[in-house]
Amino acid sequence: MADLHLQALRASHEPDLSVRIGALTLRNPVMPASGCFAIEYREALDLNRLGALVIKSVSPATRAGNPTPRVAETPSGMLNSIGIPSKGLDAYLRDVLPPYTRFDTPVVVSVSADTAESFAEACERLSLPEVAAIEANISCPNLEADGMAFAMLPETTYKAVSAIRRRTKHPLWVKLTPNAGQIALIARAAEDAGADAIVMGNTVLGMAIDVHTRRPKLGNVMGGLSGPAIKPLAVRLVHQCHRAVRIPIIGCGGIETADDAVEFMLAGATAVQVGTASFRDPAAMGHIVDGLAAYCARHEIEKLAALTGAVALDAQLTDRWLRFAQQSG
């Protein structure tokens, strides 16, 4: 009977899955995480069904990437240390970007750079009509701060984002790192500097050792942990950012199902990015879109966007938690 009722709801009223991120309206909140998606996914998934297409990060300078092995499986997740290999902007504009622009889905380019000025120059070149938004991955190393990621401190976050903002009028999404401590202050710094949205977040720094060879499982020794293992951390970070800024947040970290996506939205996300799950199942994002429609039908929700920040919290506990978060930075 429950299934029949759900089918009747679907037939009588199609839920509105659209969300707004600044000036952009997406058909639904589901998109790939940068670096976890390639044009070949079109063989397993209709790319016109997604909210946006986020391409793997490009760096202005050519990069060979990190030594192998670059990926290691871990319980409930994976470690990676790819190093963002890049053939530079010319090759990216000529070979990588065009195939993505042939779909009826907004294209988001992701940029990685090692100085604020290099970030700004790259984003200016990528401010093209066929590009819907630019994602600045400021969780990458900053050569002007001894290799510490831009997004580790509010000051370096503000410097990088403001440099980019001066050189482009394109919608600007800023990707933060979960490895930072003062995440609310860093999110506010990105907003104050001109970010249109925050992507929260990236992988968590980790390490694994082969107990038989006694060698690290990654060629670069340490790498980024992703997958279900980091989801509770990522949900907490999204919630903290949602309480700190007024701009939209795109949540990322361990999303495998529609319920995972809903959890991020309840915590404060407007949209979500899917990473590791697509390695296991290239059609995962399509299943999540279908699951979101079914969730809305089951709970009689007309607009999915209404879920953003709708977690039910005890007011007294929330005030206590906020005071603790402010005191601890």
Side-chain angles (χ1 to χ4, degrees), residues 24-58:
L24 288 176
T25 298
L26 309 184
R27 63 171 63 92
N28 63 62
V30 181
M31 65 187 82
S34 174
C36 304
F37 180 71
I39 195 65
E40 288 77 13
Y41 276 55
R42 64 190 170 190
E43 298 176 13
L45 173 67
D46 180 2
L47 303 189
N48 289 318
R49 297 192 63 216
L50 300 181
L53 302 177
V54 184
I55 311 176
K56 179 175 173 58
S57 292
V58 60

Side-chain angles (χ1 to χ4, degrees), residues 139-293:
S139 54
C140 55
N142 175 10
L143 290 186
E144 297 167 320
D146 296 323
M148 182 175 64
F150 292 91
M152 289 296 287
L153 295 172
E155 297 80 10
T156 47
T157 295
Y158 186 90
K159 180 180 179 181
V161 177
S162 58
I164 297 168
R165 185 77 285 173
R166 288 193 294 269
R167 301 283 282 272
T168 182
K169 294 182 179 178
H170 255 54
L172 177 59
W173 302 356
V174 176
K175 188 168 187 173
L176 304 184
T177 172
N179 299 307
Q182 300 176 316
I183 197 64
L185 297 180
I186 291 166
R188 280 199 291 267
E191 179 182 40
D192 292 344
D196 295 298
I198 286 167
V199 180
M200 187 71 253
N202 207 328
T203 55
V204 179
L205 190 62
M207 179 179 175
I209 300 170
D210 186 319
V211 298
H212 303 291
T213 64
R214 302 186 184 183
R215 298 183 64 82
K217 289 187 177 181
L218 293 176
N220 203 46
V221 182
M222 291 179 285
L225 177 65
S226 62
I230 71 167
K231 195 188 85 172
L233 169 65
V235 170
R236 184 264 296 177
L237 290 167
V238 165
H239 186 61
Q240 284 183 279
C241 288
H242 176 66
R243 301 191 70 88
V245 300
R246 291 167 292 180
I247 56 178
I249 298 160
I250 301 157
C252 183
I255 297 169
E256 293 191 316
T257 67
D259 283 357
D260 293 333
V262 169
E263 188 175 354
F264 271 84
M265 294 187 75
L266 291 172
T270 295
V272 296
Q273 293 185 349
V274 179
T276 304
S278 291
F279 293 139
R280 295 195 181 96
D281 177 7
M285 288 182 285
H287 300 323
I288 292 172
V289 173
D290 291 338
L292 289 173

